Amino acid sequence: MDAAILPTRLVFTDVDETLINCRSMFDFLDFYMSGRHGAAGTARARQVRESLLLQASRGIPREETNRTYFRAWAGERAEDVARWGERWFAERSGSGSFYLACTREALVRHQAGGAAIVLVSGSFLAPLDPIARDVRADHVLCTRPEVRDGELTGRILGAPMVGSGKAAAVRSTMARYPYLDPADCYGYGDHVSDLPMLSAVGHPVVVGPNPDLLARLPTGHRL
């Protein structure tokens, strides 16, 4: 969006399984590790997945599993990860079913009405940047891996973009547009972890069959 043109509203959308039909963090992990490191990388990615599933089964909060995920990237060169992110997007988006059509079409309609699009995700810039360019998003709110001397350290900067972290980032972004009323803004999500973000806007939209999320959003709509 042209900086000289003020948006008519903000539209916040989760990415994984809300805008795209896969979980970018895990799909990209598999893609990168196997492509960059071969069989050893494939095994490494599988171990990370198994560890995260075990944590989830034990009720470990998503904020902590998010941190565990990024520890798996320690030692990788940031420029390599970014380059492979472009390759991942080029391959996956060429399938024709990469985007969830209902959400993609809704964002296009919002943009036609002058809205600014904001991607909000627990994932990170390597897979999200090409998506943001393709959908012409105005902002990307995501988890930020720490980089030192060109390498990912395995730590993150600040809090994971999960749960309450999403809500805080949404409110901070809305504060940059003081003339806009949060009641006029939209949010799209597919999981209960998106509830804090969706509750921060006047028009929450649930993508997909999630009755629990809908039950917690009496004013929400299903897409």
Side-chain angles (χ1 to χ4, degrees):
M1 177 175 292
D2 189 329
I5 302 176
L6 296 176
T8 57
R9 63 174 50 88
L10 299 178
V11 177
F12 300 91
T13 181
D14 174 53
V15 178
D16 295 356
E17 300 182 316
T18 295
L19 176 58
I20 64 175
N21 69 2
C22 66
R23 302 180 70 180
S24 67
M25 295 173 68
F26 300 108
D27 198 72
F28 178 57
L29 178 72
D30 292 343
F31 182 85
Y32 177 89
M33 291 297 177
S34 61
R36 186 88 170 82
H37 300 296
T42 300
R44 183 178 174 187
R46 183 173 60 251
Q47 290 171 357
V48 172
R49 281 177 170 272
E50 291 173 352
S51 174
L52 292 172
L53 285 172
L54 180 60
Q55 288 187 22
S57 71
R58 293 176 174 174
I60 302 298
R62 276 198 169 198
E63 289 81 356
E64 291 307 312
T65 60
N66 188 272
R67 292 181 186 277
T68 299
Y69 170 87
F70 284 104
R71 283 196 283 272
W73 291 92
E76 300 297 329
R77 298 290 300 177
E79 61 182 13
D80 291 338
V81 177
R83 184 169 61 252
W84 279 79
E86 299 288 345
R87 293 177 63 176
W88 170 82
F89 174 75
E91 181 173 308
R92 294 294 190 263
S93 63
S95 69
S97 59
F98 180 68
Y99 292 110
L100 292 178
C102 58
T103 309
R104 185 71 187 93
E105 291 165 3
L107 296 187
V108 170
R109 290 194 298 270
H110 284 301
Q111 287 173 315
I117 304 301
V118 186
L119 305 187
V120 191
S121 175
S123 189
F124 62 124
L125 284 176
L128 293 177
D129 256 350
I131 296 173
R133 287 199 308 272
D134 193 49
V135 304
R136 296 184 296 113
D138 299 272
H139 304 286
V140 179
L141 309 178
C142 65
T143 304
R144 301 279 174 165
E146 181 184 66
V147 178
R148 187 171 295 175
D149 298 326
E151 289 187 353
L152 276 68
T153 67
R155 295 183 292 271
I156 65 173
L157 300 173
M161 194 60 63
V162 179
S164 61
K166 283 188 174 184
V170 164
R171 292 190 180 98
S172 178
T173 302
M174 288 194 291
R176 298 166 59 181
Y177 299 87
Y179 68 94
L180 292 179
D181 186 346
D184 292 331
C185 296
Y186 284 72
Y188 291 79
D190 72 292
H191 191 269
V192 172
S193 63
D194 295 318
L195 182 61
M197 173 184 74
L198 298 177
S199 298
V201 299
H203 298 280
V205 181
V206 178
V207 178
N210 194 318
D212 188 26
L213 182 54
L214 276 170
R216 299 189 189 198
L217 284 169
T219 62
H221 302 281
R222 179 179 171 182
L223 189 62

